[in-house]
Amino acid sequence: MIEPRKMRFFNINTLEKIPQLERLSQEMIFEMKVVGNVLPFRTNNYVTDELIDWDQVPNDPMFQLTFPQRDMLPPELYEQMAAVMQSGADREVIAEEANRIRMALNPHPAGQMTANVPRLDDDVVEGLQHKYRETALVFPSSGQTCHAYCTFCFRWAQFVGIDGLKFATDESMRFQKYLAMHPEITDVLVTGGDPMIMSVKNLKEYLEPLLEPEFDHIKTIRIGTKSVAYWPYRFVTDKDSEEVLALFRRVTEAGKHLSIMGHHSHYVELETEVAAEAIQRIRQTGAQYRCQSPVLRHINDDPDVWARMWQKQVELGAIPYYMFVERDTGAKGYFEIPLWRALEIYKKAIQQVSGLARTVRGPSMSALPGKVQVDGVTEINGEMVYVLSFLQGRNPDWVKRPFFAKFDPEATWLNHLRPAFGEEHFFFEEELHLILENGNKYGWEKLQSSPRQFRPEELLRN
Ligand SMILES: *Cc1c(COP(=O)(O)O)cnc(C)c1O
Ligand code: SF4
């Protein structure tokens, strides 16, 4: 029998209400506040009471995952923020300084603001991204927050409300019209933030219309969520959990494939009774439960952590899906690992599990041209190279075509890599420029002179 739990959020202003913080030094708490003024911070009582092992703090992976750490900011930026706070400056000055520092942290990586925004009758469709032919991403306006914030999150900019960086549907719900008019879209991925933060009433507004005949071409609905990790009660004892499950069942009974894309960074998130119960209940609706996460220093840069996590996923009836490389934004410097190391972790983990857990692909970079997987490191004609391939491309023809980059032990992202064998460009580069300038030949992007063009001066205003 799982007892209901009353949710209690903690943010940077209520940090000291967390009882376990009594164990930490004042110095450490100040450091958390400095960083937490710049990067978003939110956690809850399930994470603090059930997932974090306070005897292991600060090295505990769940603590690293949700609590700000000094080294998450580059030292000079940390010092600047600390100095403003120590000077006794008022809130406004602190907020201004925070915004200035945020702009130095690449708030919108991989051309997200400009390169994936679809249009309808020449107007931007709010809250939709259409990068790969088959799949459109929907960002519901009321799902742009989470049950706790991951310290590495590449969507952090929207949680701190930097003006103009919010990415969400508007009241017109015009994205539905766009989906109806694009028969090439077979998959809709509802994402955020975390859509499962929404009330069941809001969630219905996004899911139910997709069951109508005009959306017959949409075969699969995915919901990206970390709720099973951060608040599994959403599916077990929360007031409307039964209604949520009934909604899932309605989707699967309408003949759609429903896949809940669980974000799981560590096996700890899957080893509580309530998390297992949540996954079981989700699966009983006919939905699948797939799992994905980036590989992160301080949290899961250890093959044994991944092997145990994938094994646990299979035991719970879940499907290991993606291992990502951390994106180039926010506290990346703190979490990043070289590409060869990510590959090593993937390899050593996959070697420990049976075929049923080898459904997971990676390590994969969601970069400007597409999802690029690191397949291997090898030597060809005396040159050390990375073997790479697209799992998804802005042009679907790029997928599964191996290409080669000079081995660089420092490289942590695609843009650090140069072509091998003395070539000047990767095979996709010229076409990528054409696509970014003119829209895709499949017609799902018209990108030029996007009004969402990212303008730093404008973003600094508040
Ligand atoms: C990962 C991703 C998808 C989904 O890709 P799959 O390989 O089908 O899981 C769709 N759109 C964007 C922008 C993505 O990053
Ligand atoms: S749950 Fe997802 S969207 Fe929310 S903070 Fe974590 S990574 Fe970001």
Side-chain angles (χ1 to χ4, degrees), residues 146 148-150 152-153 155 159 192-194 226 230 263:
C146 309
Y149 291 147
C150 308
F152 64 82
C153 181
R155 288 175 177 145
F159 306 139
D194 193 328
K226 202 169 169 72
Y230 283 158
H263 172 185

Side-chain angles (χ1 to χ4, degrees), residues 204-242:
K204 272 183 190 163
E205 281 170 24
Y206 285 87
L207 299 187
E208 282 182 341
L210 298 178
L211 309 182
E212 298 298 324
E214 58 184 319
F215 299 108
D216 272 353
H217 55 288
I218 290 164
K219 308 294 184 197
T220 297
I221 300 173
R222 306 186 215 179
I223 301 175
T225 181
K226 202 169 169 72
S227 53
V228 171
Y230 283 158
W231 194 257
Y233 303 93
R234 189 75 189 87
F235 306 96
V236 183
T237 57
D238 277 3
K239 232 176 27 243
D240 62 357
S241 58
E242 290 300 330

Side-chain angles (χ1 to χ4, degrees), residues 2 29 43 98 160 182 219 262 274 282 303 358 391-392 398 460:
I2 291 163
I29 292 173
T43 192
V160 292
H182 284 262
K219 308 294 184 197
V274 61
I282 289 168
R358 291 184 189 174
L391 292 167
Q392 286 287 0
W398 298 344
L460 278 173

Side-chain angles (χ1 to χ4, degrees), residues 26-36 69-70 78:
Q26 282 307 309
E27 193 189 345
M28 204 172 152
I29 292 173
F30 177 73
E31 290 174 357
M32 285 199 244
K33 286 185 180 165
V34 172
V35 178
Q69 313 288 325
R70 179 185 176 128
Y78 177 89

Side-chain angles (χ1 to χ4, degrees), residues 41 48 52 55 60 64 71 75 84 90 117 130 158 185 202 261 279 281 364 368 372 392 456:
F41 167 66
T48 55
I52 294 173
D55 290 336
D60 178 77
Q64 293 281 331
D71 293 339
V84 170
D90 59 28
V117 180
H130 191 189
Q158 67 191 30
I185 298 175
N202 279 330
M261 308 302 289
I279 292 173
R281 286 177 182 231
S364 164
L368 190 60
V372 174
Q392 286 287 0

